Amino acid sequence: MDKSYLGIDPGKHGGLCVLNSSGDIVALHNMPQTPTDLKLLLGNISASHSPLVCAIERVGGMPGQGGAAMFSFGYNYGQLIQCLTDSNIAHTEVLPAKWQTAMGCRGHSGESKTSHKNRIKDMAKRKFPNVKITLATADAVMIACYALAKL
């Protein structure tokens, strides 16, 4: 039985991407903004694309972020992990440096965050020229590619 590969960029402006075992995108979504919508989406993905290998970016607070912002992000990340668990989706957490290095899109010294994000988006668009990839979904696409290649 062929597997599907789910990549998740857990940010509020992140996304989810499902690849089939041939490496084609079969589903691409912006991150739902409510836990209810997220749970519904993950349930549908789990039901439609089984067996499923899932990689989620493991992120933490960023230097310069206020305490309230870090708490909010951590809370949302916890809800995402719970939704994966509720949907019976086993997952592997992967550090940004690990998936970015493996996929050849690690940030360069002195590169701005905007430039780095745009470079990842451009790489994803070159990989999938017939798919509408946005800044919200680009990391998820590359994380799904990482899952296909490494998991």
Side-chain angles (χ1 to χ4, degrees), residues 93-115:
E93 293 179 285
V94 59
L95 292 169
K98 187 169 185 174
W99 73 259
Q100 289 174 12
T101 298
M103 302 314 298
C105 53
R106 185 133 187 220
H108 301 305
S109 178
E111 182 178 33
S112 71
K113 180 179 177 181
T114 301
S115 174

Side-chain angles (χ1 to χ4, degrees), residues 9 13 17 25 28 30 99-100 103-108 111-143 145:
D9 173 8
H13 301 288
C17 176
I25 293 177
L28 189 60
N30 288 341
W99 73 259
Q100 289 174 12
M103 302 314 298
C105 53
R106 185 133 187 220
H108 301 305
E111 182 178 33
S112 71
K113 180 179 177 181
T114 301
S115 174
H116 184 220
K117 290 290 189 183
N118 281 320
R119 194 162 47 80
I120 292 171
K121 178 183 169 188
D122 291 342
M123 289 179 79
K125 284 173 116 174
R126 281 193 304 276
K127 217 171 192 21
F128 301 99
N130 299 321
V131 178
K132 183 177 186 221
I133 295 172
T134 66
L135 284 172
T137 58
D139 282 11
V141 169
M142 298 308 290
I143 295 166
C145 290

